[in-house]
Amino acid sequence: MKQPLEIVLATRNPGKVRELRALLAGWPVVLRTAADFPGAPEVEEDASTLEGNARKKALALHRHTGLPALADDTGLEVDALGGRPGVHSARFAGPGAGDAENRARLLQELHGVPDRTARFRTVLAFATDDGVLCFEGICRGYILEKERGRGGFGYDPLFVPEGETRTFAELSPAEKNALSHRGKALRAWLAFLQRQTET
């Protein structure tokens, strides 16, 4: 990529913004966030799929700002819970619940359950005048019986990725980004951008 690309991140989640900024370090990309644009819409994440929510957020911010917009929706899919909380991960313990309440509900539902396998899945949507493209990243692992670590956000203190003994919350940001669902989705998007500039 030769000319810096100005894009807006369709999120106000400081954890996501921090991760995305770290993942894009060294790329000629100027990142703005929804908070930089007064009147930017608060998009209700009421779609039935991660892709639906990501597309909805990216399109809304693109239309509001006129800039290419990047949005993601991420879900924790737990095998023993039939894929829940999935698209409802951020609201698992109910409307207005925070990360701690969501983790507590997850532990409650998995109490005494031997199968702890799960995966994080991110769908990243990129909206431009040409339409919306989606990129997916998956990280498999398992859920602990109690929290460990102080880093990250969301379900990170409970999730151990495959090939690791530490939770996402115990990994450094660079270690997490190398393994994470969001990192994989973003690298797929960056590979797309790279191809676009080479054609």
Side-chain angles (χ1 to χ4, degrees):
M1 295 173 62
K2 296 174 183 175
Q3 293 296 322
L5 174 67
E6 186 177 9
I7 65 170
V8 58
L9 298 177
T11 184
R12 290 179 173 84
N13 181 316
K16 287 185 180 182
V17 172
R18 199 164 47 244
E19 281 192 2
L20 288 165
R21 285 194 190 282
L23 285 160
L24 289 169
W27 283 81
V29 174
V30 177
L31 285 184
R32 311 283 295 278
T33 71
D36 294 328
F37 296 90
E42 286 279 0
V43 181
E44 187 175 359
E45 297 182 41
D46 56 0
S48 60
T49 64
L50 298 175
E51 180 178 338
N53 281 331
R55 290 175 65 91
K56 188 177 179 182
K57 290 187 288 185
L59 274 171
L61 263 290
H62 172 57
R63 288 168 180 158
H64 180 77
T65 65
L67 293 174
L70 196 63
D72 88 279
D73 199 22
T74 294
L76 176 65
E77 300 173 346
V78 181
D79 292 331
L81 301 181
R84 289 188 304 122
V87 72
H88 303 294
S89 293
R91 314 174 282 286
F92 194 37
D99 290 347
E101 291 88 352
N102 288 330
R103 292 193 300 268
R105 171 155 183 203
L106 179 63
L107 288 177
Q108 181 182 27
E109 292 216 15
L110 286 177
H111 181 70
V113 176
D115 179 8
R116 317 288 290 193
T117 55
R119 66 179 188 166
F120 269 119
R121 189 161 68 90
T122 287
V123 175
L124 196 67
F126 183 52
T128 67
D129 291 339
D130 295 326
V132 184
L133 291 174
C134 291
F135 306 86
E136 185 179 75
I138 292 172
C139 181
R140 302 180 191 282
Y142 61 92
I143 305 298
L144 293 179
E145 294 186 356
K146 56 184 173 180
E147 298 181 17
R148 285 202 330 240
R150 301 189 174 205
F153 62 99
Y155 296 92
D156 286 357
L158 290 173
F159 185 82
V160 178
E162 270 185 357
E164 261 294 341
T165 57
R166 295 171 293 171
T167 67
F168 268 160
E170 293 176 301
L171 299 177
S172 71
E175 288 174 318
K176 178 186 174 184
N177 289 339
L179 297 171
S180 79
H181 44 293
R182 190 169 291 109
K184 290 174 180 176
L186 196 76
R187 284 189 287 276
W189 171 68
L190 289 171
F192 162 77
L193 285 187
Q194 189 74 50
R195 290 193 300 273
Q196 293 298 105
T197 61
E198 291 170 355
T199 57

